[in-house]
Amino acid sequence: MDRNVRTTDDVLALMDGLFAPEADRWTAGGASWWDAFYADRSREVPFFADKPDENLDAHLRQGRIAPGRVLELGCGPGRNAVHLASLGFEVDAVDLSPAALAWARERAEEAGAGSLRFHHGDAFALTAEGAALAGPYDLIYDSGCFHHLPPHRRISYLALLERCLAPGGHFALTCFA
């Protein structure tokens, strides 16, 4: 391991190495774990349901969030991304898992979702300065990504929000404790 630490990213990468490889749920190395998780679509998992998060749906119905450009972090099987696109939002949805994205694309096709693009990869890399998904976004929505990050990666998450969220934009987070 290269222990020449010159940047914050070097420190974060060094800290990443403290975790067992099988515990990785936040980098490209964790994609195979997620693929296995999404392999059985019949499992009783709340976010496998073909409906959006209740909190997101309530805010949309109450008119608190107007259509605009959306970044969904960790979109999984696409239920929120498809719902937002069906309401006229322009959605970029990101996930590490090719299996989850395949399911999301099927749902989008079945729903005839509007402006919706799925992106495979690490949300931090895909939204880096100068990257295709760098923003700005009127809404950044996360339903299940944040709580899989180790505590030292929360600084990267905050930087992503600061970089990608439009002034006056909305950030919504649904996560486990």
Side-chain angles (χ1 to χ4, degrees):
M1 168 186 272
D2 180 9
R3 294 203 181 245
N4 292 317
V5 177
R6 293 182 183 91
T7 67
T8 301
D9 285 337
D10 292 341
V11 172
L12 296 175
L14 188 64
M15 292 176 78
D16 287 345
L18 298 174
F19 291 84
E22 61 273 10
D24 181 359
R25 305 288 185 274
W26 70 94
T27 72
S32 61
W33 188 91
W34 287 111
D35 282 345
F37 182 82
Y38 286 109
D40 180 4
R41 296 181 183 188
S42 66
R43 294 171 54 180
E44 292 294 322
V45 177
F47 57 89
F48 280 16
D50 194 9
K51 62 181 183 177
D53 287 338
E54 292 175 11
N55 61 318
L56 176 63
D57 188 50
H59 287 299
L60 294 167
R61 281 185 287 104
Q62 293 165 8
R64 293 185 178 148
I65 304 170
R69 195 164 178 229
V70 177
L71 174 64
E72 185 180 6
L73 304 171
C75 70
R79 63 202 178 90
N80 294 309
V82 169
H83 184 67
L84 288 162
S86 73
L87 296 175
F89 288 81
E90 180 185 336
V91 182
D92 285 308
V94 176
D95 204 280
L96 288 172
S97 168
L101 290 171
W103 189 0
R105 286 184 180 100
E106 289 171 22
R107 283 183 166 173
E109 189 175 313
E110 289 170 8
S115 184
L116 174 54
R117 291 166 304 283
F118 292 105
H119 306 271
H120 173 248
D122 175 342
F124 297 108
L126 291 170
T127 61
E129 188 90 27
L133 304 182
Y137 288 95
D138 303 302
L139 169 64
I140 297 179
Y141 190 72
D142 176 345
S143 179
C145 181
F146 179 80
H147 63 256
H148 289 287
L149 296 176
H152 70 278
R153 281 292 175 177
R154 293 177 184 163
I155 191 171
S156 303
Y157 192 92
L158 181 59
L160 182 156
L161 295 176
E162 290 173 342
R163 186 175 55 251
C164 297
L165 188 60
H170 297 278
F171 166 62
L173 173 67
T174 300
C175 69
F176 296 119

